[in-house]
């Protein structure tokens, strides 16, 4: 998929752990890992907004587009069936 998720970059800049971010956003660490590792097929705008609020960033700081060719080289081993939507519980 040509959308790349850069949550790791923002976590490092904010010196925040995955567990702390998950708690503050209101999603499970497992769902955050799905998103963080690029396995999510969708993300709710409310979840994206919560991530941006907690990390004090813009959506473009977390998501970027790359050409398919670049993804084939970088993510060749990440194709294990992941049709997951990431969002807060109950949404």
């Amino acid at each position: 998929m040509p959308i790349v998720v850069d949550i790791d970059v923002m976590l490092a800049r904010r010196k925040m752990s995955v567990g702390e971010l998950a708690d503050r956003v209101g999603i499970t660490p497992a769902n955050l890992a799905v998103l963080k590792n690029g396995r999510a097929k969708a993300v709710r705008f409310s979840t994206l907004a919560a991530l941006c609020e907690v990390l004090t960033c813009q959506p473009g700081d977390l998501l970027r587009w790359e050409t398919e060719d670049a993804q084939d080289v970088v993510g060749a081993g990440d194709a294990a069936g992941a049709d997951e939507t990431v969002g807060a519980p109950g949404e």
Side-chain angles (χ1 to χ4, degrees):
M1 177 178 288
I3 302 297
V4 178
V5 181
D6 287 326
I7 290 177
D8 283 336
V9 173
M10 293 307 296
L11 283 171
R13 288 182 182 165
R14 302 298 186 257
K15 296 182 172 104
M16 187 181 297
S17 70
V18 173
E20 180 183 352
L21 179 60
D23 285 343
R24 292 178 63 184
V25 169
I27 62 176
T28 67
N31 278 342
L32 183 57
V34 167
L35 180 58
K36 185 175 76 72
N37 295 324
R39 293 188 318 260
K41 295 295 181 185
V43 62
R44 290 184 175 93
F45 279 1
S46 59
T47 302
L48 183 58
L51 286 165
C52 289
E53 183 177 351
V54 170
L55 294 169
T56 59
C57 66
Q58 294 294 313
D61 296 326
L62 300 176
L63 304 172
R64 63 187 159 87
W65 178 82
E66 286 188 355
T67 62
E68 289 285 341
D69 294 339
Q71 277 298 304
D72 289 342
V73 173
V74 174
D78 295 338
D83 283 332
E84 301 182 41
T85 299
V86 176
E91 286 189 299

